[in-house]
Amino acid sequence: MSLRASSSAAVLLALFVASTGGAAVAEPAAAGGPAVVLITLDTTRADHLGAWGWPHARTPNLDALAARGIRFARCDSAVPITLPSHATILSGLYPPRHGVRDNATFVLAESVETVAEGLAAGGFDTAAVVSAAVLARRYGLAQGFRLYDDDLAAGGAGDPDAVERRAAATTAAATALLPTLRRPYFLWVHYFDPHEDYAPPPPYAAQARGPHAAYDGEIAYMDAEIGRLLAALPADATVLVVGDHGEMLGDGGEPTHGLLLGHGARRVPLLLAGPGIPGGRTVDCLTRTADVAPTLYRLAGLAPPAGLDGASLLPLLDGDDCGRTSYAESFLPFFAYRWYPLRAFSEGRWLYVHGTRPGLYDLAADPAESRDVAAEQPAIAGRLAALLKALLAAMGERLEGKVSAERALSDEERARLESLGYVGGGAGGEVRHDLPDPRDMVGVAADVHRAAKLVRQGRCADALPLLLGVTRRDRYNFPAYNQAGLCLLEAGRLRSALNAFERAAQVNPQSAVPLKNAGNALLRLGEARRAEEVFARAFELDPISPGVASNLAALLRGRGAAAEAAAVLERAFAAGSRHPGLYLERGMLAAARGDVAAAFDDFLAAAERDPHNPVPLDNAAKAAELLGRPQQAAELYRRSLDLDPGRPALWAALATLYLQQLGDRDGARHALEQAIAAEPDPGRRARLEDFLRQLDPGS
Ligand SMILES: [Zn+2]
């Protein structure tokens, strides 16, 4: 982050208008300055929107935005993975320069200046609403935002491990914070819905048609919610919409995204509309997601920092600067599978794809990128390969050689990892020419994808043979080992599960996921001390990984280390986690030291965030009783028993509460009847029946 002299946005806006010949953004900003809104569409391929001609699209709101603004028909994403792509969108830098190469195991470094930081320094209020766990503040994108809403489970979403927020909740969160923003402001709203699994809510599922109806249904649902957001924005807001990456939908053999760099994953929607932006125009020049940040600076009336990889889109409106090249990469194959990373370089009509062999596509003659002409056009392939190498060299990187999987660890984090006997950075290693090329491995990836889906559907009997088959063919396949472990865990084969998770952790030592799963296996094996060790390692790698901090804190509390448990919870909260288990554990610690009021608040917060779990409600009810609030306690017991009525002891406790503290004989009678109905033991049932008779001596 570099410091910039804060200047009046209005003055800079005037300078900008002069510098672009006055064609764009010529209208004066409204009182208080501009409202600049960035909307990012996860997993949305451009050619599935109506404005790009998809016949089955139901995207009236985005199409209308295109009609009143500019559609950039050919925008390339820099990387088909959510976190690295958003790091590019927000920084204007390609991944080799911002350093984020994959989800969850990388953090955007503080030293990178994001557009939110730049605009905040220029006097803008800044806020963001994100809808996927991979964009949580922990991963560094919150830099520069005054408000960063990454609380996916807020309002009782129902899933304590929620990894996504649906579009209706995203729009609600964004519109709720609009009145709190003061102009000039920059607002970023991220929608996640088109990401797998495809499950559009009604009526979008039923309305969808065509070969990818469920995927298109998610886009239609997202579009409707974007329509609601656009309607809530001020009439003079400037809106920029961009996709983070697309979806292959089977192109090249890849069902989703992350592996290949074909147009399905690479080509994303890019739209711009607002005051002074000409309406109904299409720009056919090649553009890049790296162009978004410099454009946002210009729209805000500020000069972008020097040395960005992207450039403002606004000169394109005057017909200038059409001749950009684009760079794209995918390192997910390298980090998840130890396959060769793919890179793509596009110039004019040509797309060059670098793997263990060159690929060349003539986008003018073959927009579907279906025919590799590298062998027919070796001179062109060679020229583009040289341009790609030169670009990489300028970014301090080579096609092959050592690649650091180093996250942007703070010295403190690194020291803690080392104190646990754990040194990060072991993953990655070297990009060598003899690694498998992802284009040859799509069958293996498709098997892993199919198996992971089966695991999510609870069909481990079908998934496990598939996964074990993959690990035999491809021995560094991190996701296959991890998914196989989950199936073995479910089957109760705990030692085998543990072996699979340990192998996964060896293959990808940067990921907290297999360590967390190993911790769960160890808990079930009754090995608390070893479980604590692996949860502690997982916690250092990713303090917000769902369930890690709460399990670690519970283990520490269980052996009397209350202060250490409290410190773990505090760090998880500070890192942005709002997992219900954190509240539950903090409540347990508060109750243990006698602070019942604090415990009650935490139990209630846990219940709100995990509405299908009776445990926090039981604890809240007990705390309410201790606090002398029997009415509230009774209500909490009833809510808990609604979730799980088969607990006679809890019904009996409720009956006692009704009788002794509330003087409510009818309530007590009803609770006792439920207790009797739920009690399987004849002796205990007889005593409950006695109790009921004493309650009603007349009957
Ligand atoms: Zn994404």
Side-chain angles (χ1 to χ4, degrees), residues 33 172 189 392 399 401 454 587:
V189 185
L392 285 176
L399 284 171
L454 290 168

Side-chain angles (χ1 to χ4, degrees), residues 42-43 81-82 192 195 244-245 257:
D42 216 289
T43 321
I81 306 163
T82 303
F192 192 67
H195 200 281
D244 69 339
H245 53 78
H257 60 269

Side-chain angles (χ1 to χ4, degrees), residues 135-223:
L135 298 183
R137 68 190 61 203
R138 147 85 186 147
Y139 304 115
L141 299 188
Q143 294 177 43
F145 287 105
R146 179 177 64 84
L147 285 166
Y148 193 85
D149 180 349
D150 57 355
D151 191 356
L152 308 184
D159 177 5
D161 296 341
V163 294
E164 79 168 290
R165 158 153 59 187
R166 300 307 305 261
T170 305
T171 294
T175 49
L177 64 80
L178 278 176
T180 72
L181 299 176
R182 52 168 177 71
R183 296 178 81 144
Y185 68 73
F186 169 53
L187 170 66
W188 166 37
V189 185
H190 163 247
Y191 287 90
F192 192 67
D193 299 80
H195 200 281
E196 206 187 28
D197 293 337
Y198 315 131
Y204 305 98
Q207 287 170 354
R209 298 281 179 276
H212 303 288
Y215 173 67
D216 289 339
E218 291 274 27
I219 294 177
Y221 166 54
M222 173 178 72
D223 177 88

Side-chain angles (χ1 to χ4, degrees), residues 496-639:
S496 299
L498 196 57
N499 287 340
F501 295 136
E502 279 169 358
R503 175 71 183 152
Q506 260 170 23
V507 173
N508 189 354
Q510 295 291 316
S511 174
V513 172
L515 293 172
K516 171 178 79 175
N517 292 333
N520 288 330
L522 287 163
L523 279 183
R524 286 178 56 184
L525 284 162
E527 297 186 27
R529 209 54 206 238
R530 276 185 70 200
E532 186 189 313
E533 275 168 31
V534 294
F535 279 127
R537 278 164 53 193
F539 183 67
E540 292 305 330
L541 287 172
D542 189 355
I544 70 166
S545 185
V548 167
S550 50
N551 272 315
L552 178 57
L555 286 161
L556 289 164
R557 180 171 57 81
R559 64 171 175 85
E564 288 174 52
V568 163
L569 296 174
E570 201 176 303
R571 276 182 60 203
F573 277 116
S577 176
R578 296 292 178 266
H579 192 271
L582 300 182
Y583 293 93
L584 185 62
E585 269 307 310
R586 195 170 65 181
M588 299 297 283
L589 287 171
R593 63 170 191 271
D595 188 348
V596 182
F600 175 79
D601 289 346
D602 273 334
F603 293 145
L604 217 53
E608 191 191 312
R609 279 155 189 284
D610 192 3
H612 305 302
N613 183 359
V615 173
L617 287 169
D618 299 348
N619 288 329
K622 282 180 201 123
E625 259 193 279
L626 288 169
L627 290 167
R629 304 179 198 156
Q631 196 69 52
Q632 194 174 26
E635 191 217 311
L636 290 163
Y637 277 126
R638 279 198 307 264
R639 277 173 56 194

